[in-house]
Amino acid sequence: YSYERLLNSVDVANQQELVTAENIILQAANAYFNILRAKANMEAVEASLNASIRRYEYAEANYELSGGSSLEMLSAKVDLNQDSTLYLNAEASYLESIYTLNQLMGVEVNSTYSFKEIRDKRRDLMLNPLLDDAFAQNSQLQNNRILEEQSILNYRIAKSAYLPRLNLNSSYSYSSSNTEGSFLVLNQSNGLSSSLVLSIPIFTGGVNNSNLESAEINKLSATERSLEIKSQLERDVRSAYTNYLNALKIKDMEQRNISSAEQNFNYTKELYEQGLASSVLFREAQINLLLARNSLANARYNAVLAELELLRLSGNLIPALNGE
């Protein structure tokens, strides 16, 4: 039993390493997608800033050449300043997200990279297979099952203390000596000795009872903990799967919404340049487009993170990253 417990301890250590590895992977994924999210936000704000620059240039030229409204030029200037501030904040958030990933990876904080955009690739994730995989290979559940097996071994070891012990000892001895100047020239002896000892634990009953009772309590607690973790795991998988489906639906809606927002902005821009739309309508269409772009970026990365969480819960995260 002691040897089996030693092997069990090795399994516990390996499983805990797997749990740690999965958590680190998710932390790195979150940090990486936050960079992509911040980058998309910065690009959206930059596009909006360029539109504000063109609007201000148009209002300024209209005011100087054809006697346009000074109020319109001032309004365009205010919106331009506001978008400039937004861009500076977005750029700072982008750099900060890079620093966070660098710190997590243990490299120079100011290191820079070329970040690759993700492709919208859906996995055909189904609830029942995910639940089966989770019950079979979820790292946290497997770790507790190993601990449960360890508690059973500890219980058996405690119970074996009541059994008689039979110890077999054996030894072999050899000695040789030479004596000069004497009638005894050589003295040599060898022999094999052995002993068999039977010991019965009579005076350790109280200690054994206490150890056995403690081991039995730990065994029952470990079994109860496994059932609790399994129930919690099922709840987490079902909840994560619902979040995953909702994230996919939201992403699809945001992809359709971005098309409408772009068409609305382009149409309003044409009307504004023709003097048929007010600056208020132009600004409203501009802000709606900015919000739509940010919402689409958030929806895309939320869907990916929801998928990664499902893979982690089902024990498929590391195999998926390895292309299995």
Side-chain angles (χ1 to χ4, degrees):
Y1 293 143
S2 297
Y3 178 71
E4 291 182 19
R5 184 171 62 179
L6 179 61
L7 295 179
N8 188 268
S9 299
V10 174
D11 293 337
V12 170
N14 292 336
Q15 201 64 39
Q16 288 176 344
E17 288 181 1
L18 180 59
V19 173
T20 302
E22 289 178 341
N23 291 333
I24 291 176
I25 290 173
L26 277 187
Q27 290 178 12
N30 271 283
Y32 185 81
F33 290 129
N34 280 337
I35 292 176
L36 297 183
R37 195 194 309 264
K39 183 173 180 288
N41 177 60
M42 183 177 67
E43 292 173 348
V45 173
E46 183 179 15
S48 181
L49 175 61
N50 291 333
S52 293
I53 292 175
R54 289 191 295 269
R55 175 191 165 198
Y56 175 73
E57 292 174 347
Y58 172 81
E60 185 180 35
N62 190 38
Y63 172 75
E64 294 177 351
L65 300 178
S66 58
S69 172
S70 61
L71 181 62
E72 170 61 25
M73 185 181 66
L74 292 175
S75 177
K77 181 64 174 178
V78 170
D79 292 338
L80 174 59
N81 291 336
Q82 183 179 10
D83 288 347
S84 299
T85 302
L86 286 176
Y87 180 76
L88 292 176
N89 291 334
E91 186 180 35
S93 297
Y94 173 64
L95 293 175
E96 183 178 355
S97 63
I98 295 177
Y99 300 154
T100 300
L101 178 61
N102 289 338
Q103 182 183 19
L104 182 62
M105 296 191 303
V107 299
E108 291 292 333
V109 175
N110 59 347
S111 300
T112 57
Y113 313 93
S114 176
F115 298 100
K116 183 179 180 180
E117 280 288 343
I118 62 171
R119 292 178 297 176
D120 291 332
K121 179 182 178 181
R122 288 192 182 183
R123 298 178 184 268
D124 295 328
L125 300 179
M126 305 298 294
L127 179 59
N128 289 333
L130 287 170
L131 285 172
D132 293 339
D133 289 345
F135 294 150
Q137 57 193 25
N138 175 267
S139 57
Q140 185 178 4
L141 182 59
Q142 291 302 313
N143 183 61
N144 200 79
R145 283 173 177 167
I146 295 174
L147 292 176
E148 183 181 358
E149 294 174 1
Q150 191 175 71
S151 69
I152 295 174
L153 290 174
N154 289 333
Y155 174 77
R156 291 175 179 174
I157 292 173
K159 196 173 182 179
S160 67
Y162 291 95
L163 301 176
R165 292 187 177 183
L166 183 63
N167 296 324
L168 174 62
N169 299 316
S170 64
S171 62
Y172 178 82
S173 62
Y174 172 82
S175 64
S176 176
S177 62
N178 293 318
T179 305
E180 297 181 359
S182 171
F183 292 103
L184 181 62
V185 178
L186 175 64
N187 184 12
Q188 178 176 303
S189 66
N190 58 69
L192 176 66
S193 63
S194 64
S195 64
L196 189 64
V197 180
L198 177 65
S199 61
I200 301 176
I202 298 177
F203 302 104
T204 58
V207 175
N208 291 341
N209 289 337
S210 178
N211 292 339
L212 182 61
E213 182 179 354
S214 177
E216 186 173 10
I217 292 175
N218 292 335
K219 179 170 70 74
L220 294 176
S221 298
T223 302
E224 184 67 25
R225 178 61 178 164
S226 291
L227 295 175
E228 180 183 347
I229 291 179
K230 184 177 180 180
S231 176
Q232 181 179 345
L233 178 61
E234 180 178 0
R235 183 204 65 185
D236 291 344
V237 171
R238 291 184 180 275
S239 177
Y241 189 72
T242 300
N243 293 336
Y244 169 71
L245 294 181
N246 288 339
L248 292 180
K249 293 177 182 178
I250 292 174
K251 186 182 73 170
D252 291 340
M253 289 188 294
E254 293 298 343
Q255 285 176 334
R256 293 191 296 268
N257 186 47
I258 190 69
S259 178
S260 299
E262 288 175 348
Q263 292 178 6
N264 179 59
F265 174 74
N266 292 332
Y267 179 67
T268 305
K269 178 184 174 184
E270 292 179 3
L271 293 179
Y272 174 76
E273 292 176 349
Q274 296 172 7
L276 301 177
S278 66
S279 60
V280 175
L281 289 177
F282 178 89
R283 184 62 175 174
E284 181 180 356
Q286 182 185 10
I287 292 176
N288 287 338
L289 178 58
L290 175 61
L291 294 176
R293 286 171 172 167
N294 288 338
S295 296
L296 177 59
N298 289 332
R300 289 182 63 205
Y301 301 127
N302 287 342
V304 175
L305 291 174
E307 179 180 331
L308 291 179
E309 176 64 10
L310 265 180
L311 294 176
R312 183 190 70 83
L313 290 172
S314 62
N316 293 314
L317 178 60
I318 293 179
L321 295 177
N322 291 332
E324 299 179 12

